[in-house]
Amino acid sequence: MPHLTIQVTPNVSIAHEQSFLKALNKVLWDSGHFGKATDIKARIIPIEAFLVGVDDDEQVNSFVYAHLKIMSGRDMSIRNQLAEQLSATIEQTLGAEQSGRTSLQVCVEVEEISAVYHKKMLNI
């Protein structure tokens, strides 16, 4: 734990997805709020179809939605700090890669995971 899911519209350019995920995981690790670096899990989920607004021919708009799920016990200020750090990293990493061809909206949500959560490590 934590789990970070990134949803990205297809008109967002990400030159190196693994490097992007590594930068996000590093920001979470450097925050000091997590016990082991290997607890941090991140993935990118591409969005095949999307629409921003009501005109289907407007592909000048794009978005990145980051959803961070963490264990309970962290107050609102810590969750806000994590959201701000992720947002800044996404903006720094992806902003320059867009070269002005799209208007990029960055959204970050930090949420406590359900109390009903089971994790088991399989050594296979």
Side-chain angles (χ1 to χ4, degrees):
M1 197 34 118
H3 284 276
L4 178 62
T5 304
I6 307 293
Q7 296 179 24
V8 181
T9 57
N11 57 345
V12 173
S13 177
I14 303 176
H16 304 283
E17 290 181 339
Q18 289 292 39
S19 295
F20 176 54
L21 290 176
K22 186 175 183 178
L24 296 172
N25 280 11
K26 184 165 178 9
V27 131
L28 292 173
W29 175 243
D30 289 348
S31 74
H33 295 295
F34 306 105
K36 295 186 303 187
T38 55
D39 287 342
I40 303 168
K41 297 155 189 79
R43 78 279 278 147
I44 296 174
I45 299 177
I47 300 170
E48 291 183 27
F50 78 101
L51 179 63
V52 176
V54 296
D55 296 324
D56 62 357
D57 61 347
E58 293 293 324
Q59 297 300 309
V60 296
N61 296 299
S62 61
F63 63 86
V64 174
Y65 173 76
H67 187 201
L68 177 65
K69 300 221 27 166
I70 59 175
M71 298 300 284
S72 62
R74 292 172 181 90
D75 64 29
M76 188 59 77
S77 66
I78 290 172
R79 288 182 285 185
N80 190 52
Q81 173 195 20
L82 293 170
E84 287 177 0
Q85 291 172 335
L86 287 171
S87 182
T89 302
I90 292 168
E91 182 179 341
Q92 291 167 358
T93 306
L94 298 184
E97 292 182 22
Q98 305 321 303
S99 302
R101 61 180 185 75
T102 183
S103 174
L104 178 62
Q105 182 183 69
V106 176
C107 307
V108 178
E109 179 180 11
V110 177
E111 177 180 29
E112 290 184 345
I113 198 163
S114 164
V116 181
Y117 174 78
H118 299 275
K119 176 174 95 171
K120 185 175 186 177
M121 181 63 109
L122 301 176
N123 292 320
I124 50 177

